[in-house]
Amino acid sequence: TPPSSKVLATLNMPQQGPLMDLIHIIDDETSTKILSEISTVESDVPGCEIQILLVNNIEGKLWSSPKQFATALFNMWELGSKETNNGVLILFLLDRQRIEVEVGVRLNVYMDQSWTENMLNSVAVPNFKNGDYGSGILNIVDSVADRLRKIEDGTAATTASQDDDNFVKFLLVALVILCWCCCEDTDSEYPMGRDRFCTNCGQCNWTHQRWVKITQPTYHTKGLKRRYCVCNSCRTVDTRDVDIPRDDDSDNSDTGGGGGGSSDGGGGGGASW
């Protein structure tokens, strides 16, 4: 693809159908098969949503990794329903020769890093190396769909080690949030609390994305919402996390137009070729 026609993924790009092949590398016949399988599994498995995005790269140097961007975009689009949290994002970056699969929170223990990377290296990477991108994406969709059906009918086993890892991650996140609440002004619009200035360049010139819900509040536990903030001077990305009061599902955050699903980045994985 010529440099002038590079297609870059951004956090505020609109969601336009389940197969967003913005670089036109999948032929019509394969596209039809992909869309058919997505439609079928979304009918078979309540609440699930599979979204595919194919681009050249991610915009600028905003993100430390494709994984970080995939998690942010998943939450911006709110893939899947908030009741089932079983959405799936497939992010294809042609110039980086990288594929990422991000999943809703409920899928963390079923589609963890090990399962996802093994699946990608088995069914997709060989096709990608041969330039057969459409078949690779179709194989991923077939594998994900099969996994979602097995989860739904109760035949998919979880990974014990992933359960342990997630518990440790939960404790670490809880500790970070506790420290944040004790030390920072949680009503501030700035990503660093009382410190309004970017820690990378020292400027105060932020663009704030809309709030997205990461976890839903219940009668017994608080929820969590997050805002991604971009420094307009050096393009550093920071995040702003705020608690949602228990049993308060009517806060003023803008949760976008998706189904309410969320990802904490604890599942899914990627592969390169």
Side-chain angles (χ1 to χ4, degrees):
T1 306
S4 61
S5 61
K6 297 285 187 181
V7 179
L8 304 180
T10 63
L11 191 59
N12 60 357
M13 66 192 312
Q15 184 182 4
Q16 301 173 332
L19 176 57
M20 295 173 60
D21 178 15
L22 304 185
I23 49 179
H24 310 293
I25 59 174
I26 302 179
D27 61 76
D28 292 342
E29 181 180 356
T30 306
S31 295
T32 299
K33 292 179 181 178
I34 291 171
L35 290 170
S36 176
E37 179 60 14
I38 291 176
S39 176
T40 300
V41 71
E42 289 182 352
S43 297
D44 294 342
V45 180
C48 84
E49 180 180 5
I50 297 177
Q51 176 66 51
I52 304 170
L53 174 63
L54 298 95
V55 293
N56 289 106
N57 210 336
I58 300 167
E59 182 187 36
K61 298 180 180 179
L62 304 184
W63 309 95
S64 61
S65 66
K67 170 71 173 178
Q68 184 193 35
F69 176 80
T71 303
L73 187 63
F74 186 108
N75 287 319
M76 187 61 68
W77 284 349
E78 297 185 332
L79 300 177
S81 74
K82 66 179 180 180
E83 291 80 14
T84 58
N85 245 323
N86 56 353
V88 177
L89 171 65
I90 300 170
L91 173 65
F92 178 95
L93 304 174
L94 180 61
D95 289 1
R96 289 199 186 190
Q97 296 185 311
R98 183 72 181 177
I99 183 80
E100 288 286 341
V101 175
E102 191 59 58
V103 300
V105 174
R106 181 195 169 201
L107 301 180
N108 285 357
V109 296
Y110 296 101
M111 299 171 64
D112 62 2
Q113 182 178 0
S114 176
W115 182 91
T116 306
E117 290 181 354
N118 287 337
M119 179 271 292
L120 292 172
N121 284 307
S122 175
V123 307
V125 169
N127 296 91
F128 294 161
K129 287 181 176 179
N130 292 327
D132 189 1
Y133 305 116
S135 294
I137 296 295
L138 176 58
N139 290 342
I140 295 172
V141 172
D142 287 340
S143 297
V144 167
D146 179 67
R147 189 68 168 169
L148 289 171
R149 292 188 180 98
K150 288 180 178 178
I151 295 170
E152 179 63 21
D153 63 25
T155 61
T158 62
T159 304
S161 61
Q162 179 67 22
D163 291 336
D164 295 338
D165 289 344
N166 284 342
F167 180 68
V168 172
K169 290 177 182 178
F170 170 78
L171 292 179
L172 291 174
V173 170
L175 180 61
V176 169
I177 293 174
L178 178 62
C179 292
W180 184 289
C181 292
C182 291
C183 300
E184 300 291 350
D185 176 8
T186 57
D187 292 328
S188 171
E189 287 296 304
Y190 297 94
M192 303 307 293
R194 292 189 180 93
D195 183 0
R196 301 167 53 171
F197 300 98
C198 175
T199 56
N200 184 53
C201 69
Q203 300 299 310
C204 178
N205 185 17
W206 297 98
T207 293
H208 305 287
Q209 303 291 342
R210 62 192 178 193
W211 290 102
V212 293
K213 286 185 180 178
I214 303 302
T215 57
Q216 297 292 329
T218 69
Y219 286 107
H220 305 291
T221 60
K222 294 180 180 179
L224 182 70
K225 64 180 180 179
R226 174 172 297 159
R227 169 179 277 171
Y228 292 90
C229 308
V230 181
C231 176
N232 294 317
S233 298
C234 69
R235 309 307 289 171
T236 292
V237 175
D238 217 322
T239 58
R240 175 87 173 92
D241 289 352
V242 172
D243 286 338
I244 303 173
R246 288 180 295 177
D247 195 35
D248 181 4
D249 202 26
S250 58
D251 69 297
N252 293 324
S253 60
D254 182 356
T255 58
S262 61
S263 171
D264 61 5
S272 300
W273 66 93

